[in-house]
Amino acid sequence: MLYDKLKTASRLKELRIEKGFTMQEVAKKMKLKSRGTYSDIEHGKSNLTTQNAYILANIYNINVDYLLKSSIVNDKQVIIKPVQLEKELEKDVTYNGKPLTSTDIIALKAFLQGLTSSK
């Protein structure tokens, strides 16, 4: 799953509030020109650059993947609930630039089910 700007923005807001920081404080820690620059990132108006993702991961003591990937939780475990998987697979899913067919998706679900059934 790719970078989801709104999911990342939501996580940034949660992390900031959890730490008790203001937007101004985070912008200052990131050495940004203004609070507005950070606000645009947190509200999903601007993309989060790789450099800023690493800075924020350091500020919040988290894994960069947690900020950028919609299926990663902060404790570094990959968690995708079956309902979430179904919703993701309803979208146009591609692998190596090629769209997956409905047969591919059925095979993928079967593979994942078999992979996790013994755990």
Side-chain angles (χ1 to χ4, degrees):
M1 285 167 220
L2 302 176
Y3 169 65
D4 181 336
K5 192 188 314 187
L6 295 178
K7 177 71 97 173
T8 297
S10 174
R11 285 186 177 157
L12 286 172
K13 182 176 181 179
E14 289 172 16
L15 288 164
R16 181 179 57 77
I17 291 170
E18 188 177 288
K19 292 286 186 179
F21 295 147
T22 65
M23 284 188 192
Q24 182 69 38
E25 290 170 325
V26 175
K28 187 175 180 179
K29 289 176 185 290
M30 293 177 68
K31 298 182 178 156
L32 297 175
K33 293 179 182 177
S34 71
R35 175 199 150 296
T37 303
Y38 175 75
S39 177
D40 286 348
I41 295 168
E42 188 174 295
H43 287 99
K45 295 178 183 176
S46 295
N47 284 328
L48 178 64
T49 66
T50 303
Q51 180 180 359
N52 283 339
Y54 279 100
I55 291 169
L56 286 164
N58 188 41
I59 290 170
Y60 293 121
N61 194 29
I62 60 168
N63 188 315
V64 173
D65 285 348
Y66 176 66
L67 286 178
L68 301 178
K69 295 186 179 175
S70 61
S71 64
I72 303 292
V73 294
N74 199 15
D75 63 2
K76 300 178 187 172
Q77 295 178 2
V78 177
I79 298 178
I80 302 174
K81 296 178 183 175
V83 172
Q84 291 170 307
L85 179 62
E86 290 292 331
K87 286 181 183 178
E88 288 298 320
L89 292 176
E90 287 174 4
K91 301 175 185 175
D92 290 330
V93 179
T94 62
Y95 181 75
N96 281 342
K98 298 177 183 174
L100 297 181
T101 66
S102 57
T103 304
D104 295 333
I105 292 171
I106 291 168
L108 179 60
K109 287 180 193 177
F111 170 76
L112 290 171
Q113 186 176 16
L115 184 66
T116 59
S117 66
S118 62
K119 294 181 180 183

